[in-house]
Amino acid sequence: CPTCLSAMGLPADSLPKLRRYVARRGAAAECNHEDAERKTQEEMDRIWREREAREAEQDPTFAEIPRFHVRKSSARAASSHSSSSPVPVPPRDEAKRLRALMVAEVERLARQQLHEHMVSLIMEPAELDDCWRLLRAHASPPSSPTDERINYDGFCRVAGALPPRAAGTFFCASHFLQLPLDAWGRISILHFFQWLRGKNALLRTRAELSTYAVAAEGTLGERELEQWVADLLPQLPALSELREEFFPFYKVTAMRKFIFFLDPKHRGRISIHKLMASPILHELLELRRPDIPPEELAVNWFSLEYAEMLYSDYLELDRDQNGMLSTQELMHFRGGAPPGGGLTHAFVQRVFQECHSYRTTSEDGSHQNELDYKSYLDFVLAHTYRVTPEALTYFFKLLDMRRCSRLSGFDVAFFFRAVLDKFDELGEEPNCTVADVQDEIFDMVKPQDPLYITLADLIRCKVGDTIVGMLTDAHAFYQYDRREELMPHDKPEN
């Protein structure tokens, strides 16, 4: 058929020749089916060789360089073999451009429709007030002024009084059963309304993030997430006193935590789904509350007080005031272990070997590598959240000197010898040997392979943060070694 010839790349005028050949040979009674198929294939091969010869005459390069792809002609062009006028085909570059424009437009319309759908599910403040009023109006007996509750019948009546989009999003039977039931089959109105407001806030945040996602992949780039954080800051009362000159440093501080935990492989994209499910986003959105106590602000990474404390520590370490940290300057990092300066020289050298650094020239003309504020924040995050898998991955990369994805007894002994050297600098007398600590660490980890410790072993043992401290910080090892002496004891009763 013409379509088959077109798919095989044969010209349309080959069809009459094949028909004449089949009609001429079909009358031969002695020709069986296999012979007919064989001769037909030979005829088609002859037609193909004629085409190759014609192409070689038009362009001699076809005789040396074979054709790898044959442009598929349309069925309409193949069927119109009697017409000698060719069908106009747009140039290849123009066709690609038109297709790209069409795909981009379809993606834009799809994103717009998805965004409109997500926005339609969000309840406005007035609707939330009506929902709260309806829930209290349909409270189920026995009533209590301090603990109002509602059964499933009242729950359904409230759903019927609300718009259908709100009922389908927040008032399903599964939502009712998520909360604990009392003896009368009721749920707490206050707890359900708090859940409703939380889910409504998440839907609003998800709709906001979708407007910043340029690529239709459900991910955000670093610049896109940074723009969202910048636009969100005016809505956070806890950051109302953020000064304009400190704004760039705060933005970097906030972004590093998202990147450290949600993009550990440095792919440059963060999944919106992972971002919505992460406690990091909830920590940032907590700053929407106008009545956050000072003790919570003191431990919130995104609070202004915490960001200023981090930047102040960075400036304190930067003794030459060149905006970056050298090896000797990072050696004074406290890491939460007073009086500070317990990091070993071997470990700090590994930080500068593996982390992103800049080569600078000192006053005496010597060259050295230095860390910028972003790399310093990654270092602080790893120390602050040392129990997390992301932080253990960060430290394991530094301890894995041979980059073989496992730590041998030699690696453990190498880093602990640096800890013993640090004890000598501090004037302390260690009461252990390298071999004893090496055996103790392998006993604590219990690796699958008794000769090597992998990252999976370090995470699975649940004491990976302790082991990292023992191998990198003299103060951390001191606290571990004398944990029984430092443990608070109850005073004896008189």
Side-chain angles (χ1 to χ4, degrees):
C1 65
T3 306
C4 297
L5 291 174
S6 173
M8 291 185 293
L10 296 176
D13 57 356
S14 301
L15 185 61
K17 298 179 181 179
L18 286 175
R19 286 175 176 172
R20 289 195 299 270
Y21 173 79
V22 172
R24 186 171 61 253
R25 296 294 182 179
E30 67 277 5
C31 187
N32 54 23
H33 179 71
E34 289 76 8
D35 294 338
E37 287 292 333
R38 178 178 55 80
K39 293 179 179 180
T40 302
Q41 186 63 36
E42 291 177 355
E43 183 67 16
M44 295 182 66
D45 292 341
R46 186 186 62 79
I47 295 174
W48 181 266
R49 288 193 297 270
E50 291 179 356
R51 174 180 175 172
E52 289 182 339
R54 290 196 303 267
E55 290 181 345
E57 292 177 359
Q58 296 176 359
D59 192 344
T61 59
F62 281 107
E64 300 177 0
I65 304 176
R67 179 191 292 275
F68 295 100
H69 302 283
V70 178
R71 179 179 295 180
K72 181 179 178 181
S73 59
S74 62
R76 180 179 178 183
S79 61
S80 59
H81 55 276
S82 59
S83 177
S84 60
S85 60
V87 178
V89 179
R92 180 176 298 181
D93 295 341
E94 181 67 16
K96 287 184 178 180
R97 189 184 67 84
L98 293 176
R99 178 178 176 80
L101 291 176
M102 186 182 303
V103 171
E105 181 65 17
V106 171
E107 290 179 352
R108 186 190 66 81
L109 293 176
R111 288 199 303 268
Q112 180 180 353
Q113 186 175 2
L114 177 61
H115 177 71
E116 292 175 354
H117 172 71
M118 289 189 293
V119 170
S120 67
L121 301 178
I122 302 172
M123 296 182 68
E124 299 299 330
E127 295 177 326
L128 290 174
D129 295 339
D130 294 341
C131 181
W132 173 248
R133 179 181 53 80
L134 289 171
L135 286 171
R136 298 189 63 188
H138 291 82
S140 306
S143 60
S144 172
T146 59
D147 185 17
E148 295 180 310
R149 292 180 170 268
I150 188 172
N151 59 20
Y152 188 66
D153 292 336
F155 185 81
C156 293
R157 287 194 293 270
V158 174
L162 292 173
R165 58 180 179 80
T169 307
F170 302 99
F171 285 84
C172 296
S174 59
H175 300 153
F176 183 85
L177 295 176
Q178 284 180 357
L179 299 178
L181 305 177
D182 61 4
W184 289 274
R186 305 175 304 171
I187 62 173
S188 171
I189 291 178
L190 178 61
H191 293 168
F192 172 76
F193 188 70
Q194 289 176 343
W195 170 85
L196 186 148
R197 290 185 60 184
K199 182 177 180 179
N200 191 67
L202 286 177
L203 290 175
R204 186 182 300 277
T205 304
R206 178 64 180 87
E208 291 176 358
L209 290 174
S210 66
T211 60
Y212 291 86
V214 177
E217 301 174 353
T219 59
L220 288 174
E222 184 175 351
R223 291 182 178 272
E224 298 161 1
L225 186 60
E226 183 178 325
Q227 184 61 44
W228 174 74
V229 171
D231 296 341
L232 180 67
L233 294 184
Q235 306 175 23
L236 306 179
L239 300 178
S240 58
E241 299 181 1
L242 179 61
R243 302 184 306 275
E244 184 178 357
E245 59 271 14
F246 188 67
F247 175 74
F249 300 99
Y250 176 84
K251 192 164 54 173
V252 171
T253 304
M255 287 299 304
R256 293 319 295 178
K257 188 168 188 178
F258 285 110
I259 296 173
F260 183 83
F261 285 102
L262 301 181
D263 187 23
K265 296 184 178 180
H266 305 287
R267 296 176 178 174
R269 309 292 300 179
I270 295 177
S271 169
I272 296 180
H273 178 74
K274 290 177 60 178
L275 179 62
M276 294 295 299
S278 171
I280 303 174
L281 178 65
H282 298 273
E283 184 181 6
L284 174 62
L285 297 182
E286 275 292 311
L287 301 181
R288 286 176 172 174
R289 293 167 45 195
D291 55 346
I292 305 179
E295 54 271 16
E296 292 186 14
L297 291 175
V299 296
N300 190 312
W301 178 273
F302 299 99
S303 67
L304 182 59
E305 293 80 357
Y306 202 95
E308 290 178 342
M309 181 266 295
L310 290 173
Y311 190 65
S312 176
D313 292 344
Y314 181 77
L315 294 180
E316 184 179 350
L317 291 174
D318 185 19
R319 298 186 176 183
D320 57 3
Q321 299 297 314
N322 66 341
M324 289 186 286
L325 300 181
S326 64
T327 305
Q328 295 300 324
E329 291 171 341
L330 189 62
M331 291 284 291
H332 296 279
F333 175 76
R334 295 186 179 89
L343 295 179
T344 65
H345 183 73
F347 173 69
V348 174
Q349 286 289 346
R350 288 291 298 154
V351 173
F352 282 82
Q353 290 173 6
E354 294 293 335
C355 298
H356 183 71
S357 59
Y358 296 87
R359 190 169 182 83
T360 61
T361 304
S362 59
E363 296 180 355
D364 57 358
S366 60
H367 299 284
Q368 59 181 352
N369 292 335
E370 294 189 323
L371 297 180
D372 64 347
Y373 189 50
K374 290 184 178 180
S375 299
Y376 170 76
L377 289 176
D378 292 340
F379 186 77
V380 174
L381 284 166
H383 270 272
T384 306
Y385 303 96
R386 196 156 50 187
V387 298
T388 61
E390 292 81 5
L392 292 177
T393 303
Y394 178 91
F395 284 113
F396 189 86
K397 180 182 177 181
L398 302 179
L399 298 175
D400 184 15
M401 296 186 297
R402 295 174 293 175
R403 298 182 180 180
C404 57
S405 302
R406 59 185 185 180
L407 303 179
S408 64
F410 171 80
D411 298 320
V412 174
F414 172 81
F415 283 102
F416 187 70
R417 286 193 185 93
V419 174
L420 296 182
D421 295 340
K422 193 68 179 181
F423 269 103
D424 294 339
E425 293 180 13
L426 299 176
E428 295 286 342
E429 183 68 27
N431 56 354
C432 58
T433 63
V434 174
D436 293 338
V437 174
Q438 178 180 333
D439 294 339
E440 184 173 357
I441 287 178
F442 272 84
D443 291 340
M444 293 168 63
V445 177
K446 296 181 176 61
Q448 292 183 347
D449 188 337
L451 299 179
Y452 300 99
I453 297 175
T454 64
L455 177 60
D457 296 329
L458 197 63
I459 296 175
R460 184 174 55 250
C461 71
K462 305 300 182 183
V463 290
D465 57 320
T466 303
I467 294 171
V468 167
M470 294 170 61
L471 296 177
T472 61
D473 194 330
H475 292 309
F477 179 78
Y478 180 87
Q479 291 181 350
Y480 169 78
D481 190 44
R482 292 166 173 78
R483 57 192 180 278
E484 296 181 357
E485 301 175 8
L486 300 176
M487 186 180 302
H489 298 281
D490 297 333
K491 294 182 179 181
E493 298 181 358
N494 296 326

